[in-house]
Amino acid sequence: MALIPSREIAVALLTFVCCGLAVATDNAPIKWSRAHATFYGGADGSGTMGGACGYGNLYSAGYGTRTAALSSVLFNDGASCGQCYKIACDRKLTDPAFCKPGVTVTITATNLCPPNDALPNDNGGWCNLPRQHFDMAQPAWEKIGVYKGGIIPVMYQRVPCVKKGGVRFKIVGHDYFNLVNVMNVAAAGSIKSMDVKNSDSIDWMPMTRNWGANWHSLALLTGKELSFRLTDTDGQTIVFNAIVPGGWKFGQTFASNLQFA
C-alpha cells in the first residue's frame, strides 16, 4: 500500500476544514427576531388609510391591506417607512389555538403605533418603548392569527420589498415649500437620501426628510421640470430624470418606469 506523505495529509485536512466552514457559512440559518402583534383598521382595512408615513390611500399607493403600524423603536422616526417584514405567529410562546401554523405574511410599514404611557407595557401599552411591536392591518393579521387572540407573540425578519411598477412621487405644498411623498419603493423599501434638480440648473439640491416618507425642499420649483435622485437604505442610487414635467400642479402624482432591485 502506498504511503501518503504527511505534508499532503495536512493540506488535505486544511482544505476539508476550509470547505466545511464555507458550507456552514453559506447555509447559516436566517435570523428571526421576536415581537408581538395586534391589529387595527377593521376587516376591510379602511381604518389603516393615511398614517404617519403619508402614503394616503394605501390602495392607490400600492400597499393594499398588507401593512402595519410599527412601534417607535421599529419606526425610527419615519426612516423605516416602506420597509417590508415577514411575520409568523410564534406558537412556542402562545396558546396554539390563537396561531395559524406554517404560514407567514409580508407587510409594509406604513404607519406609527404611538406609545400609550398611561398603560403598562404588558397590559395595553403594547407600543411603548422599548417594545418591538406590529399593529397590523386586520386582513394581514388574520393570515397568521385568530381574531379572538387579540395580541400574539410573533417572529419577524426584514425582507426585500416586491412592488409592481416603478417608484412614484406625489408633490404637495406651496411655493418655496415642496413636499414630496416617495411611494411604491421596492427592495430596501426605505429611502436614505433624496435630491432634486430643476431644468434651470445643473446642480442637485439636497432635500430633507420632513416626516414619514415625505421629503421637502425650500426652493422655488413650482411648475419647473424636475428630476429626483434617490438613495435607498441599502445604498443603491437611482436618478429619475425629468420625472416631473414642466407645468405640474401641487397634488399631482408622477409614476416612473424605474425601480430599485
Side-chain angles (χ1 to χ4, degrees):
M1 179 181 293
L3 296 178
I4 302 175
S6 59
R7 183 178 179 181
E8 293 184 13
I9 293 175
V11 171
L13 286 174
L14 284 173
T15 302
F16 176 78
V17 171
C18 290
C19 292
L21 288 174
V23 170
T25 301
D26 291 343
N27 294 303
I30 297 173
K31 182 180 179 181
W32 290 79
S33 300
R34 283 195 163 94
H36 282 77
T38 48
F39 60 87
Y40 79 116
D44 60 355
S46 59
T48 65
M49 299 298 112
C53 290
Y55 295 130
N57 185 311
L58 297 179
Y59 289 102
S60 59
Y63 302 112
T65 59
R66 298 293 188 269
T67 64
L70 308 187
S71 60
S72 297
V73 69
L74 292 174
F75 190 70
N76 193 21
D77 291 328
S80 297
C81 283
Q83 292 181 358
C84 296
Y85 299 84
K86 182 184 288 187
I87 304 176
C89 186
D90 190 346
R91 301 185 79 225
K92 293 182 179 180
L93 297 180
T94 192
D95 185 338
F98 297 147
C99 275
K100 295 181 179 178
V103 294
T104 63
V105 64
T106 298
I107 58 87
T108 303
T110 58
N111 203 355
L112 167 68
C113 180
N116 184 353
D117 295 329
L119 296 175
N121 288 15
D122 59 352
N123 188 19
W126 312 123
C127 291
N128 293 353
L129 291 171
R131 290 179 62 99
Q132 297 183 342
H133 191 90
F134 295 88
D135 196 17
M136 302 169 64
Q138 184 176 331
W141 193 89
E142 289 191 292
K143 291 292 182 182
I144 60 170
V146 177
Y147 181 88
K148 65 180 181 180
I151 178 171
I152 55 174
V154 296
M155 304 289 288
Y156 76 93
Q157 60 179 261
R158 190 174 163 200
V159 295
C161 298
V162 178
K163 303 299 178 187
K164 295 181 179 179
V167 178
R168 298 201 290 272
F169 305 87
K170 182 175 181 178
I171 307 179
V172 298
H174 52 77
D175 292 345
Y176 292 103
F177 182 75
N178 307 278
L179 192 65
V180 182
N181 183 267
V182 185
M183 66 189 83
N184 201 52
V185 178
S190 49
I191 299 301
K192 179 181 180 181
S193 65
M194 182 173 182
D195 305 294
V196 61
K197 182 173 66 174
N198 70 72
S199 52
D200 296 336
S201 174
I202 61 172
D203 297 320
W204 289 98
M205 294 181 291
M207 300 180 71
T208 302
R209 185 191 304 278
N210 190 283
W211 60 277
N214 292 289
W215 297 74
H216 79 260
S217 68
L218 302 178
L220 180 60
L221 302 175
T222 307
K224 297 181 180 180
E225 180 184 272
L226 303 179
S227 300
F228 295 125
R229 182 171 63 188
L230 300 182
T231 299
D232 70 9
T233 48
D234 283 346
Q236 183 181 356
T237 298
I238 298 181
V239 174
F240 300 81
N241 280 314
I243 183 63
V244 179
W248 59 269
K249 305 293 183 182
F250 289 107
Q252 287 184 285
T253 298
F254 303 93
S256 76
N257 294 319
L258 301 178
Q259 187 57 274
F260 290 91

